[in-house]
Amino acid sequence: MFETLIKFFNFCDAENRKKFTGSIIVGIFNSLFMALRIGAVAVMLRGVIAAAIDGTAFEMNTVWLSFAIMCVSIIGGIITRKVTSMWQCEGGYRTCAKKRIEIAEHLRYLPMGYFNENSLGEITSVTTNTMESVGDVATRAVMMVFQGLLDTSLIIVMLFFFDWRIALVSLAGFGLFEFVNLFMRVAVRDVSAEKIKADAAEIGKVLEYIQGIAEVKAYNLAGKRRRELNSVIEKRLKILIKMEMRCIPVSNLQSLVAKFSGVAMMLASLYFYLAGTMDLANCSTMLVCSFMLFNALEAGGNYSALLRTIDIGVTKASKILALPTMNIDGKANAKNETSLDVSNPCGNNIEAKNIDFAYDKRKIIDNISLKIPANTTTAIVGPSGGGKTTFCHLLARFWDVDKGTVSLGGKDVRDYNMDDLMKNFSFVFQNVYLFHDTIANNIRFGEPDAPMEKVIAAAKKACCHDFISSLPNGYDTVIGEGGASLSGGEKQRISIARAIMKDAPIIILDEATANVDPENERELMNAVTELTKAKTVIMIAHRLKTVRNADQIIVIDKGRIAEKGKHDELVKKGGIYARFIDSRKEAVSWKI
């Protein structure tokens, strides 16, 4: 139990750890105030019993003293409970909010291969369900478990001042309760892990079903996919029921132990009174205490079963945060030189020297060397799966090369601060992702504080101002997640407007015009032309008109550069590029 709580405390950042530490300290005072009730009861019972035995009038001073102690207990308890609750809630929820942000920032600097190895459902589950459970469950569990232990411990300590024998009986009951509670934590240990895993599987399957709904409908797979989704949901339901069924018997046993411990205190008190070794006042006080002692402990004990969920959640989040990131600050050295700033690099020449890259033990890039002069256009073509996109990702340092070097302006890209390096690249991908936000905010994504005039200017250059203006709310129109409410060509042009707004010196176009309908093609090509003016352009393309005027054309096949040259030179060679051109011409000549 304490290992889990310590792990959670270490998981918290310094500010929120102070809140939890403070809440525990205040919780001790809360327990002291709760224990004062025993004193108030004892004062009253002694006064009543003394008056009855002596036959004297009951003194009002006793009433006022008992009332004063009870008032201090109640008011102090309310104040301290409010403070501990607020600090623990703030600490729990703020910790998880910060950890979500920290995980998101950490994911930015992980190699792209991580996202291929790990499902979207797993990542989403950790940042949503898992962190939600940690924030919600941890706050309640820490508050209830700790407070239950504190309240019970302090009451037992106070009992030693009344009668050490009854205190020992209560201490034995406390030990037996914790022993039974250990079985509860053991009982849910493996089920908690199954629950976290089932949560990730359910989210992954739901995302897969929603994102692939078009294919599901097109290929009449609704029944099969729905059965798969239902199966995952049903499995998670069974795991949740299994967890409850394991907790309920142990929870009931805990309750019985608490109740029987109270009964044992009552019987022991009566026995000692009848044996003449305990006075009536103490006996009456112990009888009252037997009802008070285990209430807080019992409530906290039921929550302790959730500590395993906290443990697993913290472990999963910490595992992501412990993943080694790429060196984002540039190379450090003994002289403590600052990392290079490439916001205005000395030239935008790009050079790859003998680079290799393998993914999952499969070599994708094999000893490629290439120079890309500044302000030139380089077209990359080749068979699907040949390594074109991976090569471009290596140039922009989405991954680090396994061997060789990639340099920008004569400096190894690994020497640059990652954020500064990214300022020099703009990307337009074949599959554009737009965020669930206004069109204006999607365009100014790389420059959040850009004025509206600059947004409109970028949109006009990208040939998307007219269709945006025709929308009901214009630039304030909120588009669906992923740009679901826009056509492919419209999304591409907004993506280009975003890149124009960034105004980076190097543009990478990854088959940006591959799936554009003829109606949008001319406007999209105009947008691309506007984007690439006076820039270093690297384009992956399958269309003849987009590559034939390039300064150099690179043909990548099976991870190697198979051909290199200009359009006319490569056509004369009669190799892969020539066959590519012939197939493009044949496709264009097809008529329906």
Side-chain angles (χ1 to χ4, degrees):
M1 179 192 298
F2 288 104
E3 287 182 6
T4 299
L5 295 174
I6 291 171
K7 181 184 288 187
F8 176 72
F9 273 42
N10 293 334
F11 182 69
C12 299
D13 60 284
E15 180 184 351
N16 290 302
R17 195 181 302 127
K18 288 180 181 178
K19 289 184 183 292
F20 276 107
T21 303
S23 72
I24 292 172
I25 295 172
V26 176
I28 294 173
F29 287 99
N30 179 261
S31 297
L32 288 171
F33 284 123
M34 295 298 102
L36 279 178
R37 296 179 183 183
I38 297 175
V41 171
V43 168
M44 181 63 74
L45 288 175
R46 286 183 180 279
V48 171
I49 292 172
I53 292 175
D54 298 338
T56 58
F58 183 66
E59 296 184 6
M60 288 303 296
N61 288 338
T62 302
V63 175
W64 288 115
L65 178 59
S66 178
F67 178 73
I69 295 174
M70 188 62 75
C71 285
V72 171
S73 173
I74 293 173
I75 294 173
I78 290 173
I79 293 173
T80 52
R81 177 56 63 90
K82 179 182 178 181
V83 172
T84 55
S85 298
M86 288 300 297
W87 283 358
Q88 286 174 347
C89 286
E90 286 183 11
Y93 291 123
R94 288 183 185 277
T95 289
C96 292
K98 286 187 175 182
K99 287 300 176 180
R100 283 194 181 100
I101 296 171
E102 188 178 340
I103 289 172
E105 287 296 310
H106 193 77
L107 291 174
R108 286 178 57 200
Y109 301 114
L110 291 178
M112 291 296 291
Y114 171 79
F115 302 97
N116 293 329
E117 295 170 357
N118 298 269
S119 69
L120 180 61
E122 177 73 18
I123 299 170
T124 305
S125 179
V126 171
T127 54
T128 54
N129 277 4
T130 301
M131 296 311 299
E132 184 70 25
S133 295
V134 170
D136 196 18
V137 174
T139 300
R140 286 175 171 78
V142 170
M143 185 163 48
M144 298 299 291
V145 174
F146 254 163
Q147 203 60 50
L149 290 172
L150 285 172
D151 288 354
T152 306
S153 300
L154 286 174
I155 291 175
I156 291 175
V157 170
M158 182 168 283
L159 289 180
F160 275 100
F161 291 98
F162 288 90
D163 193 292
W164 63 271
R165 297 167 298 180
I166 301 302
L168 288 178
V169 173
S170 64
L171 188 60
F174 176 73
L176 183 58
F177 182 93
E178 287 302 310
F179 181 73
V180 174
N181 184 258
L182 176 63
F183 281 99
M184 177 180 285
R185 296 197 297 274
V186 171
V188 300
R189 180 176 296 169
D190 58 330
V191 185
S192 298
E194 290 179 23
K195 177 189 176 297
I196 297 291
K197 187 176 181 180
D199 288 343
E202 183 181 67
I203 290 179
K205 187 59 68 175
V206 169
L207 288 172
E208 179 187 277
Y209 186 84
I210 294 173
Q211 291 174 340
I213 194 67
E215 284 74 14
V216 169
K217 289 183 177 181
Y219 291 94
N220 197 26
L221 297 173
K224 178 184 177 182
R225 293 299 178 186
R226 189 171 61 248
R227 285 193 298 272
E228 291 178 357
L229 177 60
N230 290 345
S231 175
V232 171
I233 294 173
E234 185 69 24
K235 182 178 180 180
R236 181 172 179 270
L237 174 63
K238 289 179 179 178
I239 290 172
L240 292 174
I241 294 174
K242 181 181 178 181
M243 177 179 282
E244 290 298 321
M245 294 306 294
R246 287 196 180 183
C247 287
I248 289 171
V250 185
S251 178
N252 289 336
L253 182 58
Q254 276 188 160
S255 182
L256 284 174
V257 168
K259 298 298 188 294
F260 278 121
S261 297
V263 171
M265 288 176 61
M266 295 173 64
L267 293 176
S269 300
L270 291 171
Y271 173 79
F272 294 138
Y273 170 69
L274 294 174
T277 59
M278 181 185 290
D279 61 37
L280 181 59
N282 269 6
C283 178
S284 302
T285 303
M286 294 302 99
L287 292 176
V288 173
C289 285
S290 67
F291 289 98
M292 297 172 55
L293 180 60
F294 293 102
N295 286 339
L297 184 64
E298 189 176 351
N302 292 331
Y303 273 94
S304 65
L306 300 175
L307 292 178
R308 180 61 180 166
T309 302
I310 299 173
D311 192 301
I312 295 174
V314 169
T315 300
K316 289 178 75 68
S318 298
K319 186 177 178 182
I320 291 179
L321 291 172
L323 288 169
T325 60
M326 303 166 73
N327 180 13
I328 62 174
D329 296 321
K331 288 184 178 178
N333 55 41
K335 297 180 180 179
N336 294 320
E337 294 178 357
T338 57
S339 60
L340 297 169
D341 180 0
V342 294
S343 55
N344 287 299
C346 182
N348 295 316
N349 299 317
I350 301 173
E351 184 175 5
K353 291 182 179 180
N354 307 113
I355 63 172
D356 286 356
F357 178 76
Y359 173 69
D360 197 20
K361 298 181 180 179
R362 183 170 64 93
K363 184 167 269 192
I364 308 297
I365 300 298
D366 186 7
N367 196 34
I368 286 183
S369 295
L370 177 67
K371 292 183 179 180
I372 301 176
N375 302 324
T376 63
T377 298
T378 299
I380 301 176
V381 299
S384 179
K388 303 184 298 296
T389 298
T390 300
F391 177 66
C392 288
H393 286 173
L394 291 172
L395 296 181
R397 208 193 167 199
F398 280 17
W399 289 285
D400 278 332
V401 296
D402 296 333
K403 181 182 175 183
T405 60
V406 174
S407 61
L408 172 64
K411 301 291 184 180
D412 193 317
V413 293
R414 289 170 292 194
D415 290 350
Y416 298 142
N417 175 282
M418 178 67 81
D419 290 333
D420 287 338
L421 179 65
M422 285 297 105
K423 291 177 183 177
N424 290 267
F425 291 90
S426 284
F427 305 87
V428 180
F429 299 108
Q430 178 181 356
N431 298 315
V432 177
Y433 189 88
L434 300 179
F435 294 89
H436 182 67
D437 204 340
T438 64
I439 290 178
N441 285 340
N442 269 280
I443 293 175
R444 60 160 68 98
F445 185 73
E447 193 178 339
D449 299 324
M452 199 63 205
E453 294 77 12
K454 193 171 181 180
V455 173
I456 294 174
K460 287 181 177 179
K461 289 180 180 179
C463 302
C464 55
H465 174 71
D466 291 341
F467 89 78
I468 294 173
S469 300
S470 66
L471 296 173
N473 296 314
Y475 285 85
D476 292 325
T477 301
V478 176
I479 56 179
E481 184 177 353
S485 56
L486 301 175
S487 71
E490 290 170 341
K491 288 192 290 185
Q492 285 285 12
R493 279 180 275 161
I494 289 177
S495 176
I496 292 172
R498 178 190 291 170
I500 290 173
M501 172 76 76
K502 187 177 181 182
D503 195 27
I506 302 169
I507 310 296
I508 296 181
L509 305 172
D510 189 350
E511 301 187 29
T513 61
N515 298 323
V516 178
D517 52 89
E519 291 78 7
N520 285 316
E521 184 176 6
R522 188 175 68 176
E523 289 188 335
L524 187 60
M525 293 307 299
N526 291 337
V528 170
T529 300
E530 189 66 37
L531 170 65
T532 55
K533 282 182 179 178
K535 306 287 186 184
T536 302
V537 181
I538 304 167
M539 63 169 67
I540 299 173
H542 285 159
R543 296 195 177 196
L544 175 59
K545 64 177 68 176
T546 60
V547 300
R548 66 183 307 155
N549 295 322
D551 296 295
Q552 63 174 337
I553 299 169
I554 310 300
V555 181
I556 295 181
D557 183 26
K558 297 178 181 179
R560 288 177 170 270
I561 294 181
E563 296 176 352
K564 180 169 66 173
K566 292 198 172 189
H567 172 76
D568 293 336
E569 297 171 357
L570 295 177
V571 169
K572 291 178 181 178
K573 286 184 178 180
I576 297 175
Y577 182 77
R579 292 193 295 272
F580 163 76
I581 295 301
D582 290 340
S583 64
R584 297 299 101 185
K585 289 180 178 179
E586 184 177 352
V588 170
S589 66
W590 286 352
K591 302 294 182 182
I592 297 179

